[in-house]
Amino acid sequence: SQTIHQWPATLVQPVGSPLSLECTVEGTSNPNLYWYRQAAGRGLQLLFYSVGIGQISSEVPQNLSASRPQDRQFILSSKKLLLSDSGFYLCAWNSGQGANYGYTFGSGTRLTVV
Amino acid sequence: AQSVSQHNHHVILSEAASLELGCNYSYGGTVNLFWYVQYPGQHLQLLLKYFSGDPLVKGIKGFEAEFIKSKFSFNLRKPSVQWSDTAEYFCAVNAGYYGGSQGNLIFGKGTKLSVKP
């Protein structure tokens, strides 16, 4: 069966420090991968999506970047965190055949920038 | 561009009360509609989804939602809530295409449901 792993679960980082959040998917190949952020009172916002290795699309301009070094690995990064980067980050995947097959979400990372 | 509106930020109900959470979307084409639920400390889970066919969709745990195309709405309902339904509920929509940006889910801001025992 397919599973998605996301870590760490919680993270407290100082302003200006780097960030690396990792997401891996098991049990499927060539998934579409997504990074969402849930900021307080603002709902879930799509940050990045990837339809293949090395293919990254950004939905909103921001202080973050994403990479997909392997088929089932999706990494969210920042060189220097801002206070506004605090939030709950969710990784998700769906079948490369289309969104109709539904999305599966990771357990999320709660990032607090202090 | 697609957008999703959830009318209630926080709903507080007593057990056995009926629930209806509103969701409206803006997109003129074919859409797929979803309701997700996030229980405290847990993953975001799919509650139910609508792709086509019967506009009344039944999901897990006694939830249902009705797609009304003329109103661009997909409201979530449950006849009698339980304390265990306390969670945050998200409505989401994507265009009825395959993959890529067209397949991305657009979420509403979510509705927190608190059920008093």
Side-chain angles (χ1 to χ4, degrees), chain B residues 41-114:
Chain B
Q42 294 189 28
H43 297 202
L44 202 64
Q45 303 172 39
L46 181 65
L47 202 54
L48 48 78
K49 60 188 177 186
Y50 171 80
F51 294 152
S52 63
D54 188 344
L56 184 61
V57 179
K58 294 193 184 298
I60 60 172
K61 303 185 180 185
F63 286 90
E64 64 179 31
E66 185 175 11
F67 170 51
I68 303 179
K69 189 175 181 180
S70 60
K71 295 184 178 180
F72 297 89
S73 69
F74 191 55
N75 292 355
L76 181 71
R77 300 194 293 248
K78 186 170 183 179
S80 175
V81 295
Q82 300 172 319
W83 176 79
S84 58
D85 293 324
T86 295
E88 189 158 16
Y89 293 81
F90 293 90
C91 182
V93 62
N94 66 13
Y97 300 110
Y98 289 97
S101 61
Q102 295 92 340
N104 295 333
L105 276 180
I106 307 299
F107 285 87
K109 291 187 177 181
T111 298
K112 286 187 180 178
L113 172 65
S114 299

Side-chain angles (χ1 to χ4, degrees), chain B residues 2-73:
Chain B
Q2 303 166 43
S3 66
V4 179
S5 298
Q6 289 183 243
H7 312 304
N8 308 101
H9 177 62
H10 192 185
V11 173
I12 303 173
L13 296 173
S14 298
E15 275 195 315
S18 64
L19 170 73
E20 181 159 1
L21 301 182
C23 173
N24 286 90
Y25 66 93
S26 65
Y27 183 70
T30 302
V31 291
N32 301 320
L33 297 157
F34 306 81
W35 275 97
Y36 282 85
V37 59
Q38 189 172 23
Y39 297 102
Q42 294 189 28
H43 297 202
L44 202 64
Q45 303 172 39
L46 181 65
L47 202 54
L48 48 78
K49 60 188 177 186
Y50 171 80
F51 294 152
S52 63
D54 188 344
L56 184 61
V57 179
K58 294 193 184 298
I60 60 172
K61 303 185 180 185
F63 286 90
E64 64 179 31
E66 185 175 11
F67 170 51
I68 303 179
K69 189 175 181 180
S70 60
K71 295 184 178 180
F72 297 89
S73 69

Side-chain angles (χ1 to χ4, degrees), chain A residues 86-106:
Chain A
S86 292
F88 189 62
Y89 290 82
L90 283 163
C91 180
W93 76 274
N94 70 2
S95 165
Q97 295 179 24
N100 288 4
Y101 290 84
Y103 287 65
T104 301
F105 287 84

